[in-house]
């Protein structure tokens, strides 16, 4: 190849950023090609993805396509220029600059002063002659460490332009810029990198720990689910066995009663048949006498004719129809009682499970209606029977006698208990943090409330759009409220009687929820007692806030 051709080749396959022959050339969508490291450094420095040659600006960093043709031509140009290189798994590495051009050995060290690379043999002589030169791990290409304008080593770092410069650059285009030795800049950056690395390693440890916790949680959940499956099967199998046994006993009793009725009827029929036979014999005897033409003989024997056989009166004799509906009712009642016992046991276990998610709630006085008074510890609220002098904030209820808790519920699970003893009216549940607080309040999921209420001392209802009348065996002294945010569930319990009251299920929560309390009005002293947030404890025959269950 002629010198003119070589020169043309070098111009065509030279990076316009570093002004060297391409190294790992990549092409932009505009068609221009640059070294991979050059274009990435350019974008990191300027903070804007653009083409340094035509100034085309991209909305986002475009995909960099490898230019295999440019890479091959760059390789041939290096060979023509006599720059020896070798390849290691496809990447070019430095070779000794002092070895013969035909068979250069791989370099082990590069001199930052001489800007030459040396093999193991030649580096020994270099170290002996130039003791103050700085040797580093062999690098390729070393030209990148030389200032392209002044051909001096890049020994300084310009913090203003964020680029490496030589000593002469600080007297020209980088004059008055803050430049420091590259060693100092690297030391500071290395410190930051070490801090970043430490943070990343800490993040890795935390995530590995969380991964381990999640795996352990999954395992525990699997074990718990397996236990509950076994327990559930035992309950259902026990119910099925009991129902089958009750069915068999009922059928047996019904059959026995039917057979007894049949035996009674057969005995009566046999007795009737015997009487009929006797009466037929007498009827035949009388028939002969009636048709006899010997009147004298008839008159002589008629007085000796035997009387009518003695028979039983059958007019009131009945065979009762077998009715077994009473037996069926009794059997179903027993099944119902067994179901009630099982439900109580299951609810007891359910309460033990949800009580593990107990949260410590406090009332937020800034949301309380002016007629309500909240205790200093934030655990009690009642109607003060007189309006309080408080600011009319946006978050305060001004019409409904309501108050919200401080602590938001936005994930996972929560459980708390409220004492409602001696009250004739109240509302309890959860509400969206964004609910309307001015004017009348409508309790329904559509309006952001999931609640149950008591009215007139005995009427319990679930506020589910159309209110649902609740049938409770006893009047709860406490109400337990459980929220599972992910499942969209809000459940209410009587934690003392161990009874489930009502559940809202398959709800779709958005945003934070807050515990909701309405002690209702004083009602001339009939409803003066407060609603009290109580501590939650496991309750299986243990002390429950001082009361033995």
């Amino acid at each position: 190849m002629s010198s003119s051709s070589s020169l043309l080749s070098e111009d065509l396959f030279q990076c316009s950023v570093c002004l060297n022959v391409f190294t790992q050339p990549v092409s932009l969508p505009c068609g221009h090609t640059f070294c991979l490291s050059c274009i990435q450094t350019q974008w990191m420095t300027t903070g804007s993805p653009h083409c340094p040659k035509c100034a085309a600006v991209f909305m986002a960093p475009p995909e960099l396509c490898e230019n295999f043709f440019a890479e091959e031509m760059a390789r041939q140009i290096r060979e023509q220029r006599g720059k020896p290189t070798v390849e290691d798994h496809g990447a070019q590495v430095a070779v000794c600059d002092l070895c013969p051009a035909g068979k250069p050995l791989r370099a082990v060290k590069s001199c930052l002063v001489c800007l030459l690379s040396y093999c193991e043999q030649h580096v020994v002589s270099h170290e002996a002659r130039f003791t103050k030169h700085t040797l580093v791990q062999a690098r390729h290409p070393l030209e990148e460490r030389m200032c392209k304008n002044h051909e001096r080593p890049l020994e300084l770092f310009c913090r203003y332009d964020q680029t490496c410069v030589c000593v002469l650059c600080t007297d020209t285009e980088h004059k008055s810029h803050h430049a420091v030795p590259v060693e100092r800049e690297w030391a500071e950056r290395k410190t930051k990198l070490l801090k970043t690395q430490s943070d990343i390693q800490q993040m890795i440890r935390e995530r590995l720990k969380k991964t381990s916790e999640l795996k352990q949680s999954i395992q525990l959940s699997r074990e718990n689910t397996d236990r509950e499956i076994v327990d559930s099967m035992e309950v259902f199998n026990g119910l099925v066995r009991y129902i089958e046994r009750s069915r068999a006993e009922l059928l047996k009793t019904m059959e026995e009663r039917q057979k007894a009725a049949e035996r009674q009827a057969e005995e009566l029929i046999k007795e009737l048949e015997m009487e009929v036979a006797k009466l037929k014999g007498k009827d035949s005897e009388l028939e002969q006498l009636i048709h006899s033409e010997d009147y004298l003989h008839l008159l002589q024997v008629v007085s000796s004719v035997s009387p009518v056989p003695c028979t039983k009166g059958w007019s009131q004799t009945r065979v009762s129809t077998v009715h077994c509906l009473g037996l069926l009712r009794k059997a179903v009642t027993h099944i119902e009682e067994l179901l009630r016992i099982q439900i109580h046991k299951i609810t007891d276990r359910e309460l033990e499970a949800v009580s593990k998610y107990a949260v410590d709630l406090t009332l937020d006085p800034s949301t309380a209606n002016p007629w309500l008074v909240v205790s200093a510890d934030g655990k009690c609220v009642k109607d003060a029977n007189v309006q309080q002098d408080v600011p009319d904030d946006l978050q305060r209820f001004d019409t409904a006698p309501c108050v919200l808790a401080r602590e938001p519920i936005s994930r996972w699970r929560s459980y708390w208990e409220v004492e409602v003893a001696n009250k004739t009216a109240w509302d309890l549940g959860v509400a969206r943090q964004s609910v309307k607080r001015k004017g009348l309040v409508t309790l329904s999921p559509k309006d952001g409330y999931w609640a149950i209420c008591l009215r007139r001392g005995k009427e319990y209802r679930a506020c589910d759009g159309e209110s649902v009348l609740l049938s409770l065996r006893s009047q709860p002294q406490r109400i337990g409220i459980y929220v599972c945010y992910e499942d969209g569930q809000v459940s209410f319990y009587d934690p003392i009687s161990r009874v489930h009251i009502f559940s809202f299920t398959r709800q779709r929560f958005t945003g934070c929820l807050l515990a909701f309390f309405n002690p209702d009005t004083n009602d001339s002293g009939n409803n003066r007692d407060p609603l009290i947030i109580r501590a939650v404890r496991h309750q299986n025959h243990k002390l429950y806030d001082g009361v033995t269950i």
Side-chain angles (χ1 to χ4, degrees), residues 159 180 182-194:
R159 289 183 172 176
V180 296
V182 290
E183 293 82 359
R184 184 195 301 178
E185 179 67 19
W186 168 241
E188 293 180 5
R189 294 203 177 192
K190 184 177 181 180
T191 301
K192 294 179 181 179
L193 291 175
L194 289 173

Side-chain angles (χ1 to χ4, degrees), residues 145-163:
R145 307 184 68 89
M146 183 72 76
C147 177
K148 297 176 178 60
N149 296 328
H150 307 104
E151 296 186 356
R152 297 290 299 271
L154 298 173
E155 300 173 328
L156 301 175
F157 182 81
C158 177
R159 289 183 172 176
Y160 182 84
D161 291 324
Q162 292 291 301
T163 185

Side-chain angles (χ1 to χ4, degrees), residues 200-262:
I200 291 175
Q201 291 174 350
Q202 178 63 26
M203 292 170 66
I204 292 172
R205 288 192 293 270
E206 291 174 354
R207 280 150 182 76
L208 289 175
K209 181 180 179 182
K210 180 57 67 174
T211 301
S212 177
E213 291 175 356
L214 290 175
K215 289 181 179 179
Q216 185 178 7
S217 176
I218 292 172
Q219 179 62 27
L220 293 175
S221 177
R222 179 75 264 175
E223 294 174 359
N224 183 67
T225 299
D226 290 341
R227 284 195 301 270
E228 291 190 353
I229 289 175
V230 172
D231 294 342
S232 300
M233 290 302 99
E234 288 181 359
V235 170
F236 278 100
N237 291 337
L239 289 172
V240 170
R241 287 194 299 269
Y242 182 83
I243 292 173
E244 290 179 345
R245 185 168 65 250
S246 297
R247 180 183 65 179
E249 292 175 355
L250 177 62
L251 292 176
K252 180 180 178 182
T253 302
M254 293 171 68
E255 288 294 335
E256 288 177 350
R257 287 195 176 188
Q258 178 62 29
K259 289 180 180 179
E262 290 176 358

